[in-house]
Amino acid sequence: KQWYQRRVRGFSSPSLFCSFNFPNGSCLGKMSKLILLILLLGMAESLWRRKKIDTKTKETKTDTKTEKKPETTKYEVRIITENRTDEETTGPVTITLEGLGEKLNVTQVLDNPDGKFFKAGAEDTFEFISTTNIRRVSRVNLTVTSDAAWKVNTVIVGSDRQKQEVYLYNTADQWMSTDAEKGVRKLELCSQGLASYKVEVKTADEPDAGSGNIRAQITFSDGKLTSTSGILDDFTKGETKTIEIHNMQVYLFRGLQCVTISAGADDAWLIDRIKVERFGFGVIERFKKPPLESVNDKKDWLSSDKSKGKNKIEFCRPSKKVSE
């Protein structure tokens, strides 16, 4: 009983807190050391917990990086079909885009439900997303799955990662079909350069001077290198038609020296005059050359039928200046 009473008194006595075997010192000093010890233990626990949280956070970030979705590129492809009724197709077309200087490509099937696309003279737009970024397009390969004969005029390719659109022309005027007698199953179109030209061609104001089926092409030359446009048509008597032609050769030194217009059909066309000027990407105003301007002084008619005119007409510098 006495032992029990002493214990009760001990719990209610401040001396209990001084009963630890600290070195010589007052009870207050001993309590201070105890409190300091408790604080240090608390700080240690806090640091341990923080480290544990940081470790979990890093693991979460690592998992997030691992699970991050790959970057994508959105492509836009515009296809212009030739303008005659028998040059359209009802089947789908597969397109493969190839990058410049790299072995990267993107293939996409361009569906044609119920023959909705690839009508004569139509420009159809297709959009698709790929995880492959081929940057600038240098080549396009087309593949058809229908035996209907189809003729493409121009393919224009752009993406959300490439500001400049690339124009690729059917310079060979080639038909496409799975039937070998009608055309080729696969067709390769190439970008010829970076230069863009604005061509203003005026048709003579004479009877029957215009043409809606001349199948003309323009070849640009600096005397050594040449680039050729796609098929051009629909020239009206007495009117000036402005045509923009892209992705031709870049003429760094001599500049554009001549343009040659050739006929792909036996219709006849009489050109009055022509003006060609480079514009857009890569043009430095300080070194920009004046437009090529020339007049058809000899009144030569253009036609693939030799009885109607010449198959080709060339316009070169230096030329007779066109009066305003």
Side-chain angles (χ1 to χ4, degrees):
K1 183 176 179 181
Q2 291 176 353
W3 176 86
Y4 176 77
Q5 289 176 346
R6 285 199 300 270
R7 284 297 171 189
V8 171
R9 287 198 300 270
F11 276 105
S12 62
S13 172
S15 64
L16 176 66
F17 298 102
C18 303
S19 62
F20 293 92
N21 189 24
F22 288 111
N24 293 334
S26 65
C27 178
L28 181 61
K30 294 175 182 179
M31 289 178 64
S32 299
K33 291 178 181 180
L34 177 62
I35 293 170
L36 179 60
L37 178 62
I38 293 171
L39 289 174
L40 289 172
L41 290 172
M43 290 174 64
E45 183 182 9
S46 177
L47 289 172
W48 178 79
R49 289 181 180 276
R50 182 176 296 177
K51 185 176 181 181
K52 191 174 181 180
I53 292 171
D54 290 342
T55 302
K56 288 184 177 180
T57 303
K58 287 181 181 179
E59 290 176 355
T60 305
K61 287 183 178 179
T62 303
D63 293 341
T64 304
K65 288 181 180 179
T66 305
E67 297 174 0
K68 186 179 179 181
K69 293 182 179 179
E71 293 184 352
T72 59
T73 301
K74 182 179 180 181
Y75 293 94
E76 180 182 272
V77 175
R78 290 185 283 149
I79 295 183
I80 301 175
T81 301
E82 287 284 5
N83 59 6
R84 293 186 292 194
T85 305
D86 59 348
E87 294 174 324
E88 59 187 39
T89 184
T90 56
V93 175
T94 300
I95 187 170
T96 299
L97 312 178
E98 295 186 15
L100 182 64
E102 296 186 27
K103 294 181 179 180
L104 296 174
N105 62 73
V106 174
T107 299
Q108 180 72 22
V109 176
L110 308 179
D111 291 321
N112 189 15
D114 303 320
K116 177 181 177 181
F117 303 116
F118 311 124
K119 297 289 187 182
E123 179 178 317
D124 300 306
T125 301
F126 302 88
E127 293 182 347
F128 54 90
I129 295 175
S130 173
T131 55
T132 302
N133 177 18
I134 62 173
R135 299 177 177 85
R136 185 176 181 83
V137 175
S138 63
R139 186 181 291 106
V140 162
N141 289 287
L142 300 173
T143 305
V144 295
T145 57
S146 171
D147 61 356
W150 176 57
K151 190 183 285 185
V152 60
N153 181 290
T154 307
V155 176
I156 307 165
V157 183
S159 75
D160 57 357
R161 296 179 178 272
Q162 179 64 45
K163 294 180 180 180
Q164 295 291 328
E165 289 184 316
V166 177
Y167 287 68
L168 307 103
Y169 301 101
N170 182 5
T171 56
D173 200 24
Q174 179 68 60
W175 288 85
M176 296 191 71
S177 174
T178 55
D179 185 340
E181 295 183 358
K182 297 179 181 179
V184 296
R185 183 170 175 267
K186 295 184 178 181
L187 178 63
E188 182 183 80
L189 306 180
C190 296
S191 170
Q192 302 175 65
L194 298 174
S196 296
Y197 290 97
K198 181 170 70 175
V199 180
E200 295 178 6
V201 57
K202 182 180 180 183
T203 301
D205 192 8
E206 296 185 16
D208 301 320
S211 174
N213 187 31
I214 190 65
R215 316 290 292 170
Q217 286 183 284
I218 301 178
T219 298
F220 302 84
S221 173
D222 68 346
K224 292 184 178 180
L225 303 175
T226 60
S227 296
T228 304
S229 73
I231 301 299
L232 307 172
D233 249 326
D234 298 325
F235 300 96
T236 306
K237 167 190 166 183
E239 293 187 4
T240 298
K241 184 171 184 175
T242 300
I243 308 160
E244 291 186 0
I245 300 173
H246 304 270
N247 294 110
M248 298 291 100
Q249 290 278 7
V250 179
Y251 304 98
L252 297 177
F253 303 106
R254 298 185 62 194
L256 180 64
Q257 297 298 311
C258 294
V259 291
T260 302
I261 302 181
S262 57
D266 60 4
D267 201 8
W269 176 34
L270 181 58
I271 301 170
D272 179 66
R273 62 186 67 193
I274 189 170
K275 177 181 177 181
V276 184
E277 182 177 16
R278 188 178 169 188
F279 74 100
F281 178 77
V283 175
I284 302 174
E285 290 298 324
R286 181 179 176 184
F287 301 105
K288 184 178 179 181
K289 295 184 180 295
L292 184 157
E293 300 181 74
S294 187
V295 177
N296 184 9
D297 293 321
K298 296 181 180 180
K299 302 294 182 182
D300 291 325
W301 286 76
L302 184 70
S303 177
S304 63
D305 185 341
K306 293 183 179 179
S307 65
K308 297 179 181 180
K310 292 184 175 182
N311 180 251
K312 296 180 180 180
I313 299 177
E314 188 177 56
F315 300 91
C316 295
R317 305 178 192 267
S319 63
K320 186 177 178 180
K321 295 297 180 181
V322 179
S323 58
E324 297 294 331

